[in-house]
Amino acid sequence: MDEIRPNSGAQAHGLVPLFPPGLQAIYGECRRLYPDQANPLQVTAIVKYWLGGPDPLDYISMYRNMGCAAQDVQEHWHYVSFGLSDLYGDNRVHEFTGTDGPSGFGFELTFRLKREVGETAPPTWPAELMQGLARYVFQSENTFCSGDHVSWHSPLDNSESRIQHMLLTEDPQMHPIQTPFGTVSFLQIVGVCAEELQASQQWNGQGILELIAGGPWLITDMRRGETIFEIDPHLQQERVDQGIETEGSNLSGVSAKCVWDDLSRPPDDEEDSRSICIGSQPRRLSNKDTEQIRETLRKGLEFNSKAALPPISSQKQNHDRAQSRKDSLESESSAAIVPHELVRTRQLESVHLKFNQESGTLLPLCLRGRLLHGRHFTYKSINGDTAITFVSTGVEGAFATEEHPYAAHGPWLQILLTEEFVEQMLGDLHELGSRDESKLPKEYSWPEKKLKISILPDSVFDNPLQ
Protein backbone atom coordinates (compact mmCIF):
# COMPACT_ATOMS: atom_id res chain seq x y z
CA MET A 1 0.00 0.00 0.00
CA ASP A 2 1.34 3.43 -0.96
CA GLU A 3 0.76 6.95 0.25
CA ILE A 4 1.37 10.29 -1.46
CA ARG A 5 3.38 12.89 0.36
CA PRO A 6 5.68 15.79 -0.44
CA ASN A 7 9.35 14.96 -0.24
CA SER A 8 11.16 16.44 2.76
CA GLY A 9 13.09 19.53 1.74
CA ALA A 10 15.86 18.68 4.18
CA GLN A 11 16.15 15.20 2.76
CA ALA A 12 15.96 16.46 -0.81
CA HIS A 13 19.01 18.62 -0.21
CA GLY A 14 20.89 15.96 1.71
CA LEU A 15 20.91 17.78 5.06
CA VAL A 16 20.05 14.72 7.14
CA PRO A 17 23.29 13.03 8.28
CA LEU A 18 21.96 9.48 7.91
CA PHE A 19 20.28 10.12 4.55
CA PRO A 20 20.94 6.92 2.50
CA PRO A 21 23.82 7.52 0.05
CA GLY A 22 22.20 5.62 -2.84
CA LEU A 23 19.02 7.65 -2.47
CA GLN A 24 21.08 10.83 -2.26
CA ALA A 25 22.84 10.01 -5.54
CA ILE A 26 19.55 9.61 -7.43
CA TYR A 27 18.16 12.80 -5.89
CA GLY A 28 21.29 14.56 -7.10
CA GLU A 29 20.53 13.61 -10.69
CA CYS A 30 16.91 14.69 -10.23
CA ARG A 31 18.03 18.06 -8.79
CA ARG A 32 20.19 18.58 -11.86
CA LEU A 33 17.06 18.42 -14.02
CA TYR A 34 14.64 20.04 -11.59
CA PRO A 35 16.55 22.55 -9.43
CA ASP A 36 13.31 24.41 -8.67
CA GLN A 37 11.44 21.29 -7.50
CA ALA A 38 13.26 20.34 -4.32
CA ASN A 39 10.06 18.93 -2.77
CA PRO A 40 8.31 16.87 -5.47
CA LEU A 41 5.25 14.82 -4.69
CA GLN A 42 6.17 11.22 -3.93
CA VAL A 43 4.28 7.97 -3.83
CA THR A 44 5.78 6.16 -0.84
CA ALA A 45 5.50 2.54 0.23
CA ILE A 46 3.93 2.68 3.70
CA VAL A 47 5.54 -0.63 4.69
CA LYS A 48 8.94 -0.88 3.05
CA TYR A 49 9.81 -4.02 1.11
CA TRP A 50 12.66 -4.81 3.48
CA LEU A 51 10.14 -4.77 6.35
CA GLY A 52 7.83 -7.25 4.64
CA GLY A 53 5.78 -4.85 2.52
CA PRO A 54 4.56 -5.84 -0.97
CA ASP A 55 6.05 -2.93 -2.94
CA PRO A 56 9.77 -3.10 -3.87
CA LEU A 57 10.06 0.61 -4.69
CA ASP A 58 10.50 2.75 -1.58
CA TYR A 59 9.54 5.91 -3.45
CA ILE A 60 8.39 7.23 -6.82
CA SER A 61 9.03 10.95 -7.27
CA MET A 62 6.77 12.91 -9.64
CA TYR A 63 8.08 16.06 -11.35
CA ARG A 64 6.45 18.60 -13.62
CA ASN A 65 8.50 18.92 -16.81
CA MET A 66 7.84 22.03 -18.88
CA GLY A 67 9.05 20.36 -22.09
CA CYS A 68 11.09 22.10 -24.76
CA ALA A 69 9.39 24.16 -27.45
CA ALA A 70 12.54 24.22 -29.59
CA GLN A 71 12.44 20.42 -29.84
CA ASP A 72 8.64 20.24 -30.02
CA VAL A 73 8.50 18.51 -26.61
CA GLN A 74 5.22 19.06 -24.81
CA GLU A 75 4.70 19.62 -21.10
CA HIS A 76 4.45 16.39 -19.13
CA TRP A 77 4.81 14.61 -15.80
CA HIS A 78 8.10 12.82 -15.14
CA TYR A 79 8.15 9.86 -12.73
CA VAL A 80 11.37 8.44 -11.22
CA SER A 81 11.61 5.25 -9.14
CA PHE A 82 13.80 4.55 -6.09
CA GLY A 83 14.48 0.96 -5.08
CA LEU A 84 15.64 -1.17 -8.00
CA SER A 85 19.13 0.08 -7.24
CA ASP A 86 20.80 -0.19 -3.84
CA LEU A 87 19.72 2.81 -1.78
CA TYR A 88 21.24 1.79 1.56
CA GLY A 89 24.35 -0.32 1.04
CA ASP A 90 23.73 -2.43 4.14
CA ASN A 91 22.34 -5.57 2.44
CA ARG A 92 18.79 -4.96 3.68
CA VAL A 93 17.48 -5.28 0.11
CA HIS A 94 20.39 -5.72 -2.29
CA GLU A 95 23.69 -7.47 -1.75
CA PHE A 96 26.52 -4.95 -1.85
CA THR A 97 29.16 -6.28 -4.24
CA GLY A 98 31.39 -3.23 -4.67
CA THR A 99 31.39 0.07 -6.51
CA ASP A 100 32.63 -1.18 -9.89
CA GLY A 101 29.52 -3.15 -10.86
CA PRO A 102 25.82 -2.32 -10.93
CA SER A 103 24.09 -0.98 -7.84
CA GLY A 104 21.35 -3.50 -7.00
CA PHE A 105 19.77 -4.38 -10.33
CA GLY A 106 21.70 -1.51 -11.89
CA PHE A 107 18.79 0.67 -13.01
CA GLU A 108 15.76 2.69 -11.99
CA LEU A 109 12.57 3.18 -13.99
CA THR A 110 11.21 6.47 -15.31
CA PHE A 111 8.01 7.38 -17.14
CA ARG A 112 6.85 10.51 -19.00
CA LEU A 113 3.10 11.13 -19.19
CA LYS A 114 1.52 13.92 -21.22
CA ARG A 115 0.04 16.60 -18.95
CA GLU A 116 -3.60 17.16 -19.79
CA VAL A 117 -5.05 20.68 -19.97
CA GLY A 118 -6.06 21.88 -16.51
CA GLU A 119 -4.20 19.09 -14.72
CA THR A 120 -2.61 20.49 -11.55
CA ALA A 121 -1.29 17.31 -9.97
CA PRO A 122 0.27 14.20 -11.52
CA PRO A 123 -1.90 11.07 -11.81
CA THR A 124 -0.68 8.34 -9.48
CA TRP A 125 -1.48 5.27 -11.58
CA PRO A 126 2.02 5.28 -13.18
CA ALA A 127 3.46 4.65 -9.72
CA GLU A 128 1.48 1.41 -9.38
CA LEU A 129 2.54 0.43 -12.91
CA MET A 130 6.18 0.92 -11.92
CA GLN A 131 5.65 -1.09 -8.73
CA GLY A 132 4.22 -3.92 -10.83
CA LEU A 133 7.28 -3.97 -13.08
CA ALA A 134 9.56 -3.82 -10.04
CA ARG A 135 7.77 -6.79 -8.46
CA TYR A 136 8.43 -8.78 -11.63
CA VAL A 137 12.15 -7.91 -11.49
CA PHE A 138 12.48 -8.81 -7.80
CA GLN A 139 10.52 -12.06 -8.12
CA SER A 140 12.12 -13.30 -11.36
CA GLU A 141 15.56 -11.71 -10.91
CA ASN A 142 15.39 -10.84 -14.61
CA THR A 143 16.60 -7.31 -15.21
CA PHE A 144 15.29 -4.94 -17.86
CA CYS A 145 17.47 -3.50 -20.61
CA SER A 146 17.02 -0.74 -23.14
CA GLY A 147 15.03 -2.22 -26.01
CA ASP A 148 12.97 -4.61 -23.90
CA HIS A 149 9.25 -4.92 -24.50
CA VAL A 150 6.59 -5.71 -21.91
CA SER A 151 3.34 -7.40 -23.00
CA TRP A 152 0.79 -5.95 -20.56
CA HIS A 153 -2.48 -6.72 -22.41
CA SER A 154 -4.41 -4.04 -20.54
CA PRO A 155 -4.66 -0.24 -20.75
CA LEU A 156 -1.84 1.08 -18.61
CA ASP A 157 -4.23 3.41 -16.75
CA ASN A 158 -7.15 0.93 -16.60
CA SER A 159 -9.16 3.08 -19.03
CA GLU A 160 -10.30 2.27 -22.57
CA SER A 161 -6.98 3.41 -24.05
CA ARG A 162 -5.23 1.59 -26.89
CA ILE A 163 -1.94 2.05 -25.03
CA GLN A 164 -1.72 -1.44 -23.51
CA HIS A 165 1.94 -2.46 -23.74
CA MET A 166 5.37 -1.00 -23.03
CA LEU A 167 8.80 -0.58 -24.54
CA LEU A 168 11.85 0.40 -22.52
CA THR A 169 14.58 2.79 -23.59
CA GLU A 170 17.21 5.03 -22.03
CA ASP A 171 15.74 8.15 -20.44
CA PRO A 172 16.68 11.00 -22.82
CA GLN A 173 17.51 13.46 -20.02
CA MET A 174 18.72 11.44 -17.04
CA HIS A 175 22.36 10.38 -17.20
CA PRO A 176 23.78 7.15 -15.74
CA ILE A 177 25.25 7.87 -12.31
CA GLN A 178 27.97 6.43 -10.10
CA THR A 179 26.80 5.85 -6.53
CA PRO A 180 28.76 4.59 -3.51
CA PHE A 181 27.19 1.18 -4.21
CA GLY A 182 27.72 0.94 -7.97
CA THR A 183 26.36 2.31 -11.22
CA VAL A 184 22.72 3.19 -11.93
CA SER A 185 21.12 3.88 -15.32
CA PHE A 186 17.59 5.16 -15.95
CA LEU A 187 15.23 3.17 -18.18
CA GLN A 188 12.16 4.98 -19.45
CA ILE A 189 8.82 3.22 -19.92
CA VAL A 190 7.09 4.12 -23.20
CA GLY A 191 3.45 3.14 -23.72
CA VAL A 192 2.63 1.55 -27.10
CA CYS A 193 -0.29 -0.07 -28.93
CA ALA A 194 -0.54 -3.78 -29.68
CA GLU A 195 0.46 -3.32 -33.34
CA GLU A 196 3.56 -1.38 -32.30
CA LEU A 197 4.51 -4.02 -29.76
CA GLN A 198 4.22 -6.73 -32.41
CA ALA A 199 6.39 -4.72 -34.80
CA SER A 200 9.03 -4.24 -32.10
CA GLN A 201 9.09 -8.00 -31.56
CA GLN A 202 9.53 -8.65 -35.27
CA TRP A 203 12.23 -6.00 -35.69
CA ASN A 204 13.58 -4.18 -32.62
CA GLY A 205 12.35 -1.77 -29.99
CA GLN A 206 14.70 1.05 -30.95
CA GLY A 207 13.55 1.07 -34.55
CA ILE A 208 9.89 1.32 -33.51
CA LEU A 209 10.59 4.00 -30.91
CA GLU A 210 12.12 6.18 -33.60
CA LEU A 211 8.81 6.04 -35.48
CA ILE A 212 6.45 6.54 -32.55
CA ALA A 213 4.76 9.88 -31.94
CA GLY A 214 5.72 11.48 -28.65
CA GLY A 215 8.66 13.64 -29.61
CA PRO A 216 12.34 12.97 -28.97
CA TRP A 217 11.59 12.47 -25.25
CA LEU A 218 9.03 9.73 -26.00
CA ILE A 219 6.17 11.06 -23.90
CA THR A 220 3.27 8.63 -23.49
CA ASP A 221 -0.12 10.03 -24.48
CA MET A 222 -2.83 7.73 -23.15
CA ARG A 223 -5.35 9.43 -25.44
CA ARG A 224 -3.42 8.60 -28.59
CA GLY A 225 -5.98 6.90 -30.78
CA GLU A 226 -3.88 5.94 -33.81
CA THR A 227 -0.94 3.62 -34.18
CA ILE A 228 2.08 4.65 -36.22
CA PHE A 229 0.83 2.36 -38.99
CA GLU A 230 -2.54 4.12 -39.14
CA ILE A 231 -0.97 7.58 -39.19
CA ASP A 232 1.30 6.73 -42.13
CA PRO A 233 0.50 3.15 -43.15
CA HIS A 234 2.69 2.70 -46.22
CA LEU A 235 5.83 4.53 -45.12
CA GLN A 236 5.97 3.09 -41.60
CA GLN A 237 5.26 -0.51 -42.63
CA GLU A 238 7.82 -0.21 -45.39
CA ARG A 239 10.47 0.96 -42.91
CA VAL A 240 9.66 -1.90 -40.54
CA ASP A 241 9.72 -4.50 -43.31
CA GLN A 242 13.02 -3.14 -44.59
CA GLY A 243 14.47 -3.22 -41.08
CA ILE A 244 13.46 -6.85 -40.59
CA GLU A 245 14.85 -7.83 -43.99
CA THR A 246 18.22 -6.09 -43.59
CA GLU A 247 18.80 -6.33 -39.84
CA GLY A 248 16.68 -9.21 -38.61
CA SER A 249 15.18 -9.09 -35.12
CA ASN A 250 17.00 -8.17 -31.91
CA LEU A 251 14.63 -10.32 -29.88
CA SER A 252 16.28 -13.66 -29.13
CA GLY A 253 14.07 -15.00 -26.38
CA VAL A 254 10.72 -14.76 -24.63
CA SER A 255 9.04 -16.21 -21.58
CA ALA A 256 6.22 -18.29 -22.96
CA LYS A 257 3.62 -20.98 -22.49
CA CYS A 258 5.22 -23.95 -24.21
CA VAL A 259 6.08 -27.63 -23.81
CA TRP A 260 7.68 -30.31 -25.93
CA ASP A 261 7.33 -34.07 -26.33
CA ASP A 262 9.84 -36.64 -27.50
CA LEU A 263 7.79 -38.72 -29.95
CA SER A 264 10.61 -41.13 -30.64
CA ARG A 265 10.36 -42.94 -27.29
CA PRO A 266 7.52 -44.98 -25.77
CA PRO A 267 5.46 -43.17 -23.11
CA ASP A 268 6.70 -45.40 -20.31
CA ASP A 269 10.39 -44.78 -21.06
CA GLU A 270 11.90 -43.21 -17.96
CA GLU A 271 14.17 -41.09 -20.15
CA ASP A 272 11.25 -39.72 -22.13
CA SER A 273 10.98 -35.94 -22.20
CA ARG A 274 7.30 -36.24 -21.31
CA SER A 275 8.57 -36.08 -17.74
CA ILE A 276 9.13 -32.36 -18.27
CA CYS A 277 5.80 -31.59 -19.88
CA ILE A 278 2.54 -30.22 -18.56
CA GLY A 279 0.93 -32.20 -15.81
CA SER A 280 4.13 -34.00 -14.85
CA GLN A 281 6.88 -33.43 -12.35
CA PRO A 282 9.46 -31.31 -14.22
CA ARG A 283 13.12 -32.03 -14.22
CA ARG A 284 15.30 -29.18 -13.08
CA LEU A 285 17.64 -27.36 -15.39
CA SER A 286 21.23 -27.42 -14.23
CA ASN A 287 22.54 -24.11 -12.88
CA LYS A 288 24.73 -23.72 -15.96
CA ASP A 289 21.83 -24.31 -18.34
CA THR A 290 19.60 -21.92 -16.41
CA GLU A 291 22.27 -19.22 -16.51
CA GLN A 292 22.85 -19.87 -20.19
CA ILE A 293 19.17 -19.47 -21.08
CA ARG A 294 18.80 -16.42 -18.82
CA GLU A 295 21.79 -14.81 -20.51
CA THR A 296 20.38 -15.68 -23.93
CA LEU A 297 17.07 -14.04 -23.00
CA ARG A 298 18.81 -11.02 -21.50
CA LYS A 299 21.03 -10.49 -24.51
CA GLY A 300 18.11 -10.82 -26.88
CA LEU A 301 16.03 -8.20 -25.11
CA GLU A 302 18.61 -5.43 -25.20
CA PHE A 303 19.92 -3.38 -28.06
CA ASN A 304 22.71 -5.11 -29.94
CA SER A 305 25.41 -2.65 -28.96
CA LYS A 306 27.74 -5.61 -29.39
CA ALA A 307 26.08 -7.25 -32.36
CA ALA A 308 26.54 -11.00 -32.58
CA LEU A 309 26.35 -10.65 -36.35
CA PRO A 310 28.09 -8.16 -38.65
CA PRO A 311 25.65 -5.84 -40.47
CA ILE A 312 23.92 -7.60 -43.34
CA SER A 313 23.91 -5.59 -46.53
CA SER A 314 20.54 -4.77 -48.04
CA GLN A 315 22.05 -5.98 -51.33
CA LYS A 316 23.05 -9.33 -49.87
CA GLN A 317 23.03 -12.48 -51.93
CA ASN A 318 22.57 -15.95 -50.52
CA HIS A 319 26.28 -16.73 -50.54
CA ASP A 320 27.04 -13.46 -48.75
CA ARG A 321 24.50 -14.24 -46.09
CA ALA A 322 25.96 -17.68 -45.55
CA GLN A 323 29.42 -16.21 -44.97
CA SER A 324 28.14 -13.57 -42.55
CA ARG A 325 26.38 -16.03 -40.30
CA LYS A 326 28.10 -16.27 -36.98
CA ASP A 327 26.02 -16.21 -33.85
CA SER A 328 26.70 -18.00 -30.62
CA LEU A 329 24.89 -19.37 -27.62
CA GLU A 330 27.98 -18.42 -25.69
CA SER A 331 27.39 -15.83 -22.99
CA GLU A 332 29.51 -12.68 -23.10
CA SER A 333 30.34 -13.35 -19.48
CA SER A 334 30.84 -17.11 -19.50
CA ALA A 335 32.24 -19.89 -21.61
CA ALA A 336 30.18 -21.66 -24.26
CA ILE A 337 27.75 -24.15 -22.83
CA VAL A 338 29.30 -27.47 -21.88
CA PRO A 339 26.61 -30.02 -21.06
CA HIS A 340 26.64 -30.94 -17.39
CA GLU A 341 28.34 -34.29 -17.05
CA LEU A 342 25.53 -35.65 -14.86
CA VAL A 343 22.85 -34.84 -17.45
CA ARG A 344 23.66 -36.37 -20.79
CA THR A 345 22.64 -34.77 -24.06
CA ARG A 346 20.15 -36.94 -25.93
CA GLN A 347 19.56 -36.96 -29.67
CA LEU A 348 15.87 -37.27 -30.54
CA GLU A 349 14.32 -38.66 -33.69
CA SER A 350 10.95 -36.91 -33.59
CA VAL A 351 9.54 -34.03 -31.53
CA HIS A 352 6.19 -32.36 -30.92
CA LEU A 353 6.19 -28.67 -29.90
CA LYS A 354 3.19 -27.05 -28.21
CA PHE A 355 2.66 -23.30 -27.88
CA ASN A 356 -0.17 -21.05 -26.78
CA GLN A 357 -1.61 -18.47 -29.19
CA GLU A 358 0.68 -15.58 -28.26
CA SER A 359 3.81 -17.71 -28.39
CA GLY A 360 2.75 -19.23 -31.70
CA THR A 361 2.40 -15.85 -33.38
CA LEU A 362 6.11 -15.30 -32.70
CA LEU A 363 7.17 -18.33 -34.73
CA PRO A 364 7.39 -16.38 -38.02
CA LEU A 365 9.53 -13.80 -36.19
CA CYS A 366 11.74 -16.59 -34.88
CA LEU A 367 12.20 -17.99 -38.37
CA ARG A 368 12.38 -14.86 -40.53
CA GLY A 369 13.86 -12.35 -38.10
CA ARG A 370 16.31 -14.65 -36.34
CA LEU A 371 17.19 -17.94 -38.06
CA LEU A 372 17.42 -16.52 -41.60
CA HIS A 373 19.97 -14.08 -40.18
CA GLY A 374 22.10 -16.82 -38.64
CA ARG A 375 20.80 -16.38 -35.10
CA HIS A 376 18.93 -18.30 -32.44
CA PHE A 377 15.63 -17.89 -30.57
CA THR A 378 14.57 -19.33 -27.20
CA TYR A 379 11.15 -19.95 -25.67
CA LYS A 380 11.50 -20.32 -21.87
CA SER A 381 8.42 -21.78 -20.20
CA ILE A 382 6.76 -19.67 -17.50
CA ASN A 383 5.31 -22.86 -15.99
CA GLY A 384 8.55 -24.68 -15.28
CA ASP A 385 12.06 -25.31 -16.52
CA THR A 386 11.14 -26.32 -20.07
CA ALA A 387 13.03 -24.38 -22.75
CA ILE A 388 12.98 -24.63 -26.55
CA THR A 389 15.78 -23.04 -28.56
CA PHE A 390 15.69 -22.82 -32.36
CA VAL A 391 19.14 -22.49 -33.91
CA SER A 392 20.42 -21.96 -37.43
CA THR A 393 23.34 -23.84 -38.93
CA GLY A 394 25.70 -20.96 -38.20
CA VAL A 395 25.16 -20.81 -34.45
CA GLU A 396 28.18 -21.78 -32.38
CA GLY A 397 27.99 -23.61 -29.07
CA ALA A 398 24.79 -25.51 -29.90
CA PHE A 399 24.44 -29.20 -29.11
CA ALA A 400 21.94 -29.76 -31.95
CA THR A 401 23.69 -30.49 -35.25
CA GLU A 402 22.68 -30.97 -38.88
CA GLU A 403 23.18 -34.70 -38.42
CA HIS A 404 21.10 -34.71 -35.21
CA PRO A 405 18.87 -31.62 -35.46
CA TYR A 406 16.82 -32.43 -32.33
CA ALA A 407 18.83 -32.64 -29.11
CA ALA A 408 17.81 -32.35 -25.46
CA HIS A 409 19.88 -31.49 -22.42
CA GLY A 410 17.55 -32.21 -19.52
CA PRO A 411 14.43 -30.11 -20.16
CA TRP A 412 16.21 -27.84 -22.67
CA LEU A 413 15.43 -28.80 -26.28
CA GLN A 414 17.42 -27.43 -29.20
CA ILE A 415 16.15 -27.63 -32.76
CA LEU A 416 18.48 -26.92 -35.67
CA LEU A 417 16.73 -25.82 -38.85
CA THR A 418 18.37 -25.46 -42.25
CA GLU A 419 17.63 -22.39 -44.37
CA GLU A 420 15.64 -24.52 -46.83
CA PHE A 421 13.45 -25.93 -44.08
CA VAL A 422 12.97 -22.45 -42.54
CA GLU A 423 11.66 -21.15 -45.88
CA GLN A 424 9.29 -24.12 -46.11
CA MET A 425 8.00 -23.57 -42.57
CA LEU A 426 7.43 -19.86 -43.20
CA GLY A 427 5.16 -20.73 -46.09
CA ASP A 428 3.23 -23.24 -44.01
CA LEU A 429 2.93 -20.99 -40.92
CA HIS A 430 1.89 -17.79 -42.69
CA GLU A 431 -1.58 -17.82 -41.09
CA LEU A 432 -0.15 -17.59 -37.58
CA GLY A 433 -0.37 -13.80 -37.84
CA SER A 434 -4.05 -14.21 -36.97
CA ARG A 435 -4.87 -14.06 -33.24
CA ASP A 436 -8.36 -15.53 -33.57
CA GLU A 437 -8.35 -18.04 -30.73
CA SER A 438 -11.68 -19.52 -31.87
CA LYS A 439 -9.73 -21.33 -34.59
CA LEU A 440 -7.60 -23.22 -32.09
CA PRO A 441 -6.17 -25.79 -31.92
CA LYS A 442 -3.98 -25.52 -35.02
CA GLU A 443 -1.78 -28.40 -36.11
CA TYR A 444 1.26 -28.27 -38.40
CA SER A 445 3.26 -31.32 -39.35
CA TRP A 446 6.34 -32.08 -41.44
CA PRO A 447 6.47 -35.90 -41.49
CA GLU A 448 9.67 -36.04 -43.53
CA LYS A 449 11.37 -33.96 -40.84
CA LYS A 450 9.59 -35.76 -37.98
CA LEU A 451 8.45 -32.43 -36.53
CA LYS A 452 4.98 -31.46 -35.32
CA ILE A 453 3.80 -28.11 -33.91
CA SER A 454 0.49 -27.48 -32.14
CA ILE A 455 -0.98 -24.08 -31.23
CA LEU A 456 -3.31 -24.60 -28.28
CA PRO A 457 -5.64 -22.47 -26.13
CA ASP A 458 -4.27 -20.92 -22.94
CA SER A 459 -6.57 -23.17 -20.93
CA VAL A 460 -4.44 -26.19 -21.84
CA PHE A 461 -1.42 -24.58 -20.18
CA ASP A 462 -3.28 -22.91 -17.31
CA ASN A 463 -5.13 -26.08 -16.31
CA PRO A 464 -2.67 -28.86 -17.18
CA LEU A 465 -4.50 -31.61 -15.28
CA GLN A 466 -7.82 -31.15 -17.08
Side-chain angles (χ1 to χ4, degrees), residues 253-418:
V254 293
S255 297
K257 294 181 178 180
C258 62
V259 293
W260 61 271
D261 279 314
D262 177 4
L263 299 182
S264 53
R265 291 182 180 273
D268 57 351
D269 191 321
E270 63 179 6
E271 288 292 319
D272 186 14
S273 68
R274 286 180 177 81
S275 62
I276 66 166
C277 291
I278 288 178
S280 305
Q281 181 66 33
R283 286 186 189 143
R284 301 294 298 175
L285 284 170
S286 71
N287 289 338
K288 192 173 185 66
D289 284 353
T290 299
E291 199 56 41
Q292 172 68 23
I293 293 175
R294 179 177 294 173
E295 183 70 9
T296 296
L297 292 172
R298 184 193 69 76
K299 286 173 61 181
L301 296 174
E302 65 183 339
F303 291 145
N304 278 345
S305 56
K306 297 180 180 178
L309 283 176
I312 299 176
S313 167
S314 59
Q315 305 297 324
K316 67 181 182 298
Q317 301 296 324
N318 287 338
H319 68 276
D320 293 328
R321 181 164 64 186
Q323 292 177 353
S324 70
R325 290 185 172 182
K326 184 169 182 173
D327 201 3
S328 174
L329 284 172
E330 180 177 355
S331 160
E332 292 177 356
S333 59
S334 63
I337 181 168
V338 178
H340 194 285
E341 61 183 11
L342 298 181
V343 182
R344 68 183 180 89
T345 298
R346 295 181 294 118
Q347 280 113 28
L348 314 179
E349 292 297 322
S350 178
V351 294
H352 183 190
L353 313 181
K354 303 173 185 178
F355 301 96
N356 74 331
Q357 179 80 9
E358 183 175 10
S359 301
T361 59
L362 292 177
L363 281 170
L365 152 70
C366 161
L367 300 174
R368 179 180 292 108
R370 296 294 299 178
L371 269 66
L372 285 184
H373 289 266
R375 303 174 187 174
H376 53 82
F377 190 89
T378 295
Y379 288 94
K380 174 66 175 68
S381 173
I382 62 175
N383 294 327
D385 279 338
T386 302
I388 301 169
T389 297
F390 292 90
V391 299
S392 65
T393 52
V395 172
E396 298 177 351
F399 45 81
T401 64
E402 289 194 60
E403 183 180 2
H404 300 288
Y406 312 133
H409 188 62
W412 185 9
L413 174 69
Q414 285 188 9
I415 297 180
L416 187 144
L417 301 177
T418 64

Side-chain angles (χ1 to χ4, degrees), residues 10 94 277 310 398 451 461:
H94 300 282
C277 291
L451 175 64
F461 300 86

